[in-house]
C-alpha cells in the first residue's frame, strides 16, 4: 500500500489503500463499495470505513450509489452504466497484510484507561455530555466498544444517562463529596471489622512496611505510590469480607477520591503526610488484633479526609477548566 503510515489515523490508512486500489485499477469503475464488506476486509469497525468512504466521495473518487453505499466513479459519471457488485478481497483493496488495521489487544487496555481518566478528570469541572460517536472516532474503535466502556463506568457510578438518554458525567459537587464520605464512614469500618480477622498476617505486615517506608521518605510520596497506599487501607484491608454487596457499595461510594487525583495532577503534588500517619495508626491496631479500635480509627480518618477533600474541591473551582477530548462537551451547550 502506498503512503502507508502506522501512525496515521485508521480511516486515513483505509482511504489511502482504497485510493491506491482505484488508481491501480484493482477497483474498477462501477465497483460498489458498502461499509460492511469493506470493514470486514480491513478487520475494523464501520466507523473509520464510513469516514474513509466519505472522504473519497468528497474528493470525487467515489459517488453515492442508490443511497446505500458508494460506487467507484468514472469519467463523465459513466460508472452508473457499469455497475459491478464484486466480492471484495484483501488483495483487491490493498489490504493484503491488514493486521495493522486491527486494534492491538494491548491497546484496548490503554484506550479503556485513557477513556476513564478523561471521564474522571471532567467530574469536578461541571456537567459534560459524552458523545459515543465522537469517542469511537477519537479512539478509532466501534461504538459498541465505547458503549461497553460506558456501561462499566455506569456500574461504578462514574457516568449516568440523563432524562434524554444521553450519557453524561459530573458535576461532582461539595454536597456529593460530603454524602459519599458519609456513606464511606459507615460502610468501610463495617467491612474492616469483618475483613481484618480473615487477612493473612504477611499481607498486613506488607502494608505496614509500605506505610513506614513512605513515612520515612518524607514529602516524596506522590502519584502511583499514593494510590497504592490508599488502596491498602480502602480496599485491600476490606476485601476479605464475605459480603460482596457491601464491597460493591463501598467501591461506588469512593467516587469522591477522584477529587484528590485531579487536585494532584493540577498542582503537580498531593500533600499526603497527615493521611499517611492516620493510615499507620489504623494498621497498628490491625496488627495488634484490635479490630474495633482499627475500625474507629478508620472512621475518624474518613471524617478528616472528607474535610480535606472538600477544601481541595473548593480550590479546584478557581483552576482553569482543562481542555478535554472532543467527545466531552459542556452540557450547557445542549440546553434548549
Amino acid at each position: 500500500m502506498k503512503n502507508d503510515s502506522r501512525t496515521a489515523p485508521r480511516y486515513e490508512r483505509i482511504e489511502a489503500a482504497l485510493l491506491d486500489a482505484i488508481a491501480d485499477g484493482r477497483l474498477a469503475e462501477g465497483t460498489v463499495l458498502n461499509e460492511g464488506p469493506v470493514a470486514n476486509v480491513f478487520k475494523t469497525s464501520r466507523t473509520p470505513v464510513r469516514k474513509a468512504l466519505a472522504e473519497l466521495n468528497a474528493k470525487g473518487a467515489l459517488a453515492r450509489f442508490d443511497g446505500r453505499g458508494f460506487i467507484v466513479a468514472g469519467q463523465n459519471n459513466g460508472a452508473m452504466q457499469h455497475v459491478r457488485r464484486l466480492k471484495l478481497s484483501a488483495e483487491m483493496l490493498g489490504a493484503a497484510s491488514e493486521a495493522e488495521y486491527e486494534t492491538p489487544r494491548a491497546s484496548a487496555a490503554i484506550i479503556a484507561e485513557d477513556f476513564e481518566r478523561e471521564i474522571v478528570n471532567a467530574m469536578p469541572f461541571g456537567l459534560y455530555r459524552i458523545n459515543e460517536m465522537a469517542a469511537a472516532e477519537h479512539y478509532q474503535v466501534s461504538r459498541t466498544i465505547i458503549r461497553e466502556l460506558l456501561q462499566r463506568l455506569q456500574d461504578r457510578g462514574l457516568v449516568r444517562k440523563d432524562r434524554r438518554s444521553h450519557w453524561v458525567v459530573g458535576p461532582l459537587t461539595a454536597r456529593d463529596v460530603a454524602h459519599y464520605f458519609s456513606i464511606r464512614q459507615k460502610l468501610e469500618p463495617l467491612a474492616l471489622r469483618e475483613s481484618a480477622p480473615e487477612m493473612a498476617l504477611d499481607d498486613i505486615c506488607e502494608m505496614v512496611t509500605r506505610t513506614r517506608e513512605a513515612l520515612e521518605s518524607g514529602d516524596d510520596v506522590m502519584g502511583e505510590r499514593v494510590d497504592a497506599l490508599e488502596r491498602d487501607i480502602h480496599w485491600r484491608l476490606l476485601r476479605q469480607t464475605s459480603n460482596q454487596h457491601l464491597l460493591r457499595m463501598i467501591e461506588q461510594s469512593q467516587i469522591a477520591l477522584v477529587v484528590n487525583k485531579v487536585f494532584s495532577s493540577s498542582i503537580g503534588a498531593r500533600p499526603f503526610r497527615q493521611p499517611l500517619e492516620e493510615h499507620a495508626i489504623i494498621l497498628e491496631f490491625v496488627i495488634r488484633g484490635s479490630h474495633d479500635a482499627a475500625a474507629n480509627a478508620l472512621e475518624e480518618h474518613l471524617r478528616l479526609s472528607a474535610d480535606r477533600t472538600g477544601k481541595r474541591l473548593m480550590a479546584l473551582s478557581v483552576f482553569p477548566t482543562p481542555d478535554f477530548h472532543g467527545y466531552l462537551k459542556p452540557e450547557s451547550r445542549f440546553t434548549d
Side-chain angles (χ1 to χ4, degrees):
M1 187 177 82
K2 299 173 185 176
N3 303 322
D4 179 35
S5 173
R6 295 293 298 274
T7 60
R10 194 182 313 181
Y11 82 88
E12 288 186 3
R13 288 181 278 150
I14 295 173
E15 179 189 346
L18 294 176
L19 196 58
D20 286 349
I22 293 170
D24 293 345
R26 285 176 279 119
L27 282 178
E29 175 184 335
T31 302
V32 175
L33 297 176
N34 291 310
E35 291 176 10
V38 175
N40 288 338
V41 169
F42 284 99
K43 296 181 173 60
T44 185
S45 68
R46 293 190 181 203
T47 299
V49 172
R50 184 179 303 122
K51 191 162 186 178
L53 295 177
E55 290 290 327
L56 290 172
N57 175 233
K59 294 173 180 176
L62 299 179
R64 283 282 181 184
F65 177 68
D66 199 22
R68 293 172 298 181
F70 294 89
I71 190 169
V72 177
Q75 296 294 327
N76 301 316
N77 295 321
M80 296 304 178
Q81 281 71 50
H82 305 283
V83 175
R84 302 168 186 265
R85 292 187 178 275
L86 305 177
K87 182 175 177 58
L88 302 178
S89 67
E91 292 75 18
M92 186 186 301
L93 300 190
S97 59
E98 287 309 318
E100 66 191 81
Y101 288 94
E102 297 184 71
T103 301
R105 289 190 177 184
S107 72
I110 296 173
I111 289 171
E113 182 179 334
D114 184 82
F115 188 60
E116 178 177 334
R117 181 169 54 248
E118 194 76 357
I119 295 297
V120 164
N121 285 343
M123 292 182 72
F125 293 98
L127 178 64
Y128 288 83
R129 185 188 295 183
I130 307 162
N131 186 306
E132 281 186 18
M133 179 62 75
E137 291 180 355
H138 177 84
Y139 292 108
Q140 294 294 294
V141 296
S142 68
R143 287 184 70 177
T144 300
I145 291 176
I146 296 300
R147 195 171 294 121
E148 288 174 354
L149 291 175
L150 286 167
Q151 287 168 348
R152 289 183 209 167
L153 296 178
Q154 183 183 38
D155 290 342
R156 293 168 53 196
L158 294 174
V159 301
R160 67 187 186 282
K161 285 194 171 184
D162 64 12
R163 57 186 176 83
R164 292 168 292 180
S165 292
H166 296 139
W167 288 107
V168 295
V169 56
L172 184 63
T173 67
R175 176 178 290 184
D176 292 330
V177 169
H179 287 170
Y180 282 128
F181 268 100
S182 178
I183 294 170
R184 293 178 65 196
Q185 285 175 244
K186 300 299 181 184
L187 298 187
E188 290 190 27
L190 175 61
L192 185 148
R193 285 187 173 93
E194 296 179 359
S195 175
E198 305 300 323
M199 291 189 65
L201 181 60
D202 287 348
D203 292 338
I204 299 173
C205 289
E206 284 181 10
M207 294 182 192
V208 171
T209 298
R210 280 194 291 270
T211 302
R212 287 174 177 168
E213 289 177 348
L215 282 169
E216 291 171 1
S217 62
D219 296 327
D220 296 331
V221 183
M222 59 183 64
E224 293 182 1
R225 193 176 179 191
V226 169
D227 294 337
L229 291 163
E230 289 273 47
R231 196 162 177 79
D232 275 351
I233 295 297
H234 301 296
W235 186 251
R236 297 185 183 95
L237 197 57
L238 314 178
R239 66 183 177 183
Q240 294 303 318
T241 175
S242 60
N243 191 335
Q244 296 302 305
H245 299 292
L246 176 60
L247 288 178
R248 185 164 59 252
M249 293 173 68
I250 287 172
E251 184 177 25
Q252 291 176 343
S253 68
Q254 290 179 348
I255 292 174
L257 289 173
V258 305
V259 174
N260 296 327
K261 290 186 177 182
V262 175
F263 183 80
S264 176
S265 63
S266 298
I267 68 171
R270 176 162 147 198
F272 197 61
R273 179 78 187 186
Q274 184 59 42
L276 200 54
E277 291 176 349
E278 294 161 17
H279 284 197
I281 293 171
I282 296 167
L283 290 171
E284 182 66 26
F285 283 127
V286 171
I287 206 166
R288 291 181 182 180
S290 303
H291 300 130
D292 284 341
N296 292 336
L298 175 57
E299 183 175 356
E300 176 64 9
H301 165 63
L302 288 167
R303 186 187 68 77
L304 295 171
S305 293
D307 183 60
R308 288 190 289 262
T309 304
K311 290 177 180 177
R312 288 169 185 164
L313 183 62
M314 188 178 300
L316 283 176
S317 66
V318 302
F319 280 58
T321 302
D323 292 326
F324 297 117
H325 292 328
Y327 56 77
L328 286 175
K329 299 294 183 183
E331 178 63 14
S332 59
R333 295 186 184 180
F334 299 95
T335 55
D336 298 328

